[in-house]
Amino acid sequence: MSQTYTPVERTATGKKLAGPVGWLDERLGLAGPAKKNLRKVFPEHWSFMLGEVALWSFVVLLITGVFLTLWFDPSMAETTYTGSYRPLNGVEMSVAYASSLDISFDIRGGLLLRQMHHWAAHLFIAAMFVHMLRVFFTGAYRKPRELNWLIGLGLLMLGILGGFSGYSLPDDLLSGTGLRIADGMIKSIPLIGTHVSFFLFGGEFPGDQIIGRLYMVHILLIPALLLGLIAAHMLLLVYHKHTQFPGPGRTNENVVGYPALPVYIAKAGGFFFIVFGVIASMAALFTVNAVWIYGPYNPAEVTAGSQPDWYMGFAEGALRIFPPLEWSWFGSTWAMSVFIPGLGFLGLLFVALGVWPFIERAITRDEREHHLLERPRNNPTRTGLGVAGMTWFGLLWIGGGNDVIALKFGLDLNAITWFLRVGIFVGPVIAFIVTRRICISLQRKDNEVLTHGYETGVIDRSPDGGYSERHAALPIEKQYAVTSAKERPKAIEAPELVDENGVDAPRSRRERLRHRMRRFYYFGSGAVDKPTAEDMAHAEEHLRGSNEHPIELGEDFQGVSETGVPRVH
């Protein structure tokens, strides 16, 4: 039975909406731009969903945050608790902490919404971390997307600040300990640290104003900045067009995928409910930030085994493992053992990430626009640097829990500290070298599969009793994806040291330095060149030559693993 297509404007719903929509279009003129952008094509790959996870987590944060704003009281005034949580009845505490307990135990659905808000914050920051790693390792930050990389970095910084300000609001003992650490970091700033601390806290720590000020920052300033940067990020994404992985029909000039309307809008809508459901399930099943356990904040107390939220763990670790270093200059004490790891490492991390696209372009002198992504193995130096940075971050993160690790595993706390002090210098170097060698080996493996085929699991027995395994050529689309994903680096020529008159060439030292850096950066990128057309033709002839027993290979069977299980290449 054939079905006829009816244009939407001729349907009953279309006729009803024609008037209002036409009225708006006559006054706003949105039909043309909307039609163009709603038909914009976006590529498809699972890793592109990481940004959507961050986006929808932020939406959940806004929804749950509005609910919490209606009930939370950010006052630091003293009160006596008389709520439903009996262990704290009669205990003096701040109004902020009392309202946090009321939301958890006396407001219907309050605990669920509070935990959804906290889990959504974790997922928001985690998704941004992983998303930026994907962008880094695939080179998606290259021209013309350097500005969008900086915007993404700003979103990550604001997300971390938003998370820190949010978990400081309940004014419990754990969050107060975090604020005490932040106060120490601020006071470690040479010359002006004490003045800045007094300004922020309204006097000596903890003062009576910091919760109210953090509340304003948390619900107004940071969300407004996040919304603005997210809008700018999305606008630049549409303007520059989305990057895509190499494949058949995909070039630097086009995008192969599906239009925003109706495909991706429908997918995005469904994905929002998936993210919302996962966060709601986590909030219902797993307790997070159980503020009623810690009790109200008291500057004279600290919880044993205190741990910050995971995204602040590396800063905590840097403070714990840094050796004592203190100077006394001009009548003031400079606590470098707090300032360097607390603020210096944070600044170093974000400054290094921010300037990297420009450093890479200065080294390579690559002024081309890049809309095709790189496989991480095809740029061993960048991938090695990324893994080295992850190793450095991970070791500091472990340092943030060195006391818990020592307790749970029966290890010596000082031994862990000294291991991490050495490890943050040695570990990244080892990780870089090993990763770069692995990338080069993977490139060689790609070439081997391209020129010799892959194992099919079909065993031949020769007349003299020997055994050999049949190999088959990769499908054409896979060959194209592997070979087109690898860019040939430009020829590296040594700079001229002198001009034609025998005089030192201008900027010769700078050019020699650039030349050495280019050789270092491109090490491994050109060491394993992709097969030529002649190599591929010879490989095809070779694979077709041993064809006495044809092998039937299809979409569902592209070879087997060493255990005999079919696998897809």
Side-chain angles (χ1 to χ4, degrees):
M1 181 178 177
S2 62
Q3 295 181 348
T4 58
Y5 170 74
T6 304
V8 65
E9 62 269 15
R10 296 182 183 177
T11 63
T13 303
K15 291 178 180 178
K16 292 178 181 179
L17 294 176
V21 172
W23 186 87
L24 287 173
D25 183 50
E26 289 173 356
R27 288 154 179 80
L28 301 177
L30 297 177
K35 182 177 181 180
K36 176 183 178 182
N37 289 302
L38 290 175
R39 298 299 296 170
K40 195 169 186 67
V41 173
F42 289 90
E44 195 169 39
H45 192 269
W46 67 266
S47 65
F48 300 156
M49 305 292 284
L50 296 169
E52 285 193 58
V53 173
L55 176 63
W56 297 135
S57 300
F58 179 66
V59 173
V60 175
L61 279 171
L62 293 179
I63 295 171
T64 55
V66 169
F67 175 87
L68 296 175
T69 302
L70 299 176
W71 302 102
F72 181 72
D73 187 346
S75 172
M76 296 185 72
E78 292 293 321
T79 186
T80 302
Y81 181 68
T82 58
S84 300
Y85 188 63
R86 291 182 177 270
L88 290 179
N89 267 338
V91 176
E92 290 189 0
M93 60 184 66
S94 67
V95 173
Y97 185 56
S99 68
S100 299
L101 295 176
D102 290 339
I103 292 173
S104 300
F105 295 108
D106 296 306
I107 305 300
R108 189 180 298 273
L111 181 59
L112 177 66
L113 270 294
R114 194 177 71 79
Q115 295 210 140
M116 283 185 65
H117 192 74
H118 205 100
W119 278 121
H122 283 306
L123 189 58
F124 176 55
I125 298 172
M128 285 195 292
F129 263 107
V130 182
H131 177 63
M132 294 201 70
L133 286 175
R134 195 276 300 173
V135 170
F136 179 85
F137 283 119
T138 59
Y141 56 81
R142 294 175 294 175
K143 184 181 178 180
R145 295 177 179 82
E146 301 96 334
L147 182 58
N148 226 5
W149 168 261
L150 295 177
I151 290 175
L153 196 61
L155 286 169
L156 180 60
M157 293 173 61
L158 287 172
I160 292 175
L161 289 174
F164 175 77
S165 62
Y167 82 67
S168 299
L169 292 180
D171 201 26
D172 59 291
L173 186 56
L174 181 62
S175 67
T177 302
L179 276 176
R180 165 63 86 181
I181 295 173
D183 176 59
M185 292 166 61
I186 294 170
K187 286 179 177 174
S188 71
I189 302 174
L191 301 179
I192 63 171
T194 304
H195 303 283
V196 174
S197 174
F198 270 59
F199 172 75
L200 293 176
F201 288 90
E204 185 62 58
F205 178 87
D208 58 0
Q209 300 181 34
I210 187 62
I211 299 298
R213 292 176 176 180
L214 285 177
Y215 184 66
M216 290 297 105
V217 170
H218 185 72
I219 70 169
L220 291 178
L221 181 60
I222 291 179
L225 292 174
L226 283 172
L227 284 170
L229 289 180
I230 289 173
H233 190 73
M234 299 301 293
L235 286 173
L236 285 176
L237 173 68
V238 173
Y239 177 72
H240 291 144
K241 73 186 179 183
H242 204 294
T243 54
Q244 59 185 344
F245 284 95
R250 299 172 184 173
T251 69
N252 214 40
E253 309 300 328
N254 69 354
V255 178
V256 178
Y258 299 97
L261 185 71
V263 178
Y264 270 102
I265 289 181
K267 283 186 175 183
F271 194 57
F272 164 72
F273 289 106
I274 292 174
V275 173
F276 187 93
V278 169
I279 292 174
S281 300
M282 294 171 66
L285 298 174
F286 307 111
T287 301
V288 61
N289 197 28
V291 295
W292 54 88
I293 295 177
Y294 310 121
Y297 180 63
N298 183 341
E301 300 173 355
V302 63
T303 55
S306 301
Q307 301 293 306
D309 276 350
W310 66 269
Y311 46 85
M312 295 298 296
F314 78 102
E316 172 86 1
L319 286 168
R320 292 189 183 195
I321 70 173
F322 201 86
L325 180 63
E326 188 174 285
W327 301 333
S328 295
W329 285 355
F330 306 109
S332 63
T333 301
W334 294 27
M336 292 293 103
S337 56
V338 178
F339 176 73
I340 294 176
L343 298 178
F345 281 17
L346 276 171
L348 174 65
L349 175 64
F350 285 103
V351 169
L353 290 173
V355 301
W356 170 251
F358 307 98
I359 293 176
E360 183 184 78
R361 193 173 67 176
I363 294 172
T364 62
R365 288 188 171 177
D366 185 1
E367 298 293 337
R368 298 170 296 170
E369 290 194 357
H370 295 274
H371 303 292
L372 287 178
L373 299 172
E374 274 191 305
R375 302 172 79 199
R377 67 184 62 180
N378 290 339
N379 197 313
T381 299
R382 180 203 296 143
T383 304
L385 289 173
V387 174
M390 292 171 61
T391 304
W392 179 77
F393 184 92
L395 289 170
L396 290 178
W397 194 59
I398 292 173
N402 59 354
D403 55 340
V404 176
I405 294 172
L407 177 65
K408 297 298 182 181
F409 293 95
L411 301 175
D412 183 72
L413 180 63
N414 288 328
I416 295 174
T417 301
W418 273 103
F419 172 80
L420 294 173
R421 285 176 178 175
V422 176
I424 61 170
F425 295 101
V426 177
V429 175
I430 295 175
F432 173 79
I433 295 172
V434 171
T435 301
R436 192 154 68 163
R437 297 310 307 177
I438 290 174
C439 289
I440 295 173
S441 298
L442 288 173
Q443 291 183 53
R444 292 194 175 111
K445 176 63 176 176
D446 285 342
N447 285 2
E448 181 183 345
V449 173
L450 285 170
T451 55
H452 296 91
Y454 61 89
E455 301 170 353
T456 63
V458 179
I459 307 298
D460 287 336
R461 182 179 181 183
S462 64
D464 58 359
Y467 292 92
S468 62
E469 186 171 12
R470 284 287 190 93
H471 287 68
L474 283 175
I476 296 298
E477 59 272 13
K478 296 291 184 182
Q479 295 182 26
Y480 184 91
V482 171
T483 55
S484 64
K486 186 172 183 180
E487 298 181 2
R488 298 178 185 271
K490 296 179 180 179
I492 303 176
E493 299 179 357
E496 296 291 341
L497 301 182
V498 296
D499 59 17
E500 61 276 6
N501 299 318
V503 180
D504 287 345
R507 300 191 299 271
S508 59
R509 292 183 180 178
R510 184 189 306 174
E511 292 303 319
R512 284 198 296 269
L513 175 62
R514 190 196 304 273
H515 175 68
R516 286 193 290 267
M517 294 177 70
R518 290 191 72 211
R519 290 183 60 185
F520 171 79
Y521 181 82
Y522 280 125
F523 177 83
S525 298
V528 185
D529 207 355
K530 61 184 180 182
T532 62
E534 292 76 12
D535 294 333
M536 295 302 297
H538 176 73
E540 183 180 359
E541 181 181 353
H542 169 73
L543 291 169
R544 194 169 52 236
S546 56
N547 207 20
E548 295 87 355
H549 304 287
I551 303 168
E552 296 295 334
L553 299 176
E555 292 295 329
D556 298 327
F557 181 72
Q558 298 290 339
V560 295
S561 67
E562 63 277 3
T563 58
V565 179
R567 64 184 179 186
V568 176
H569 287 258

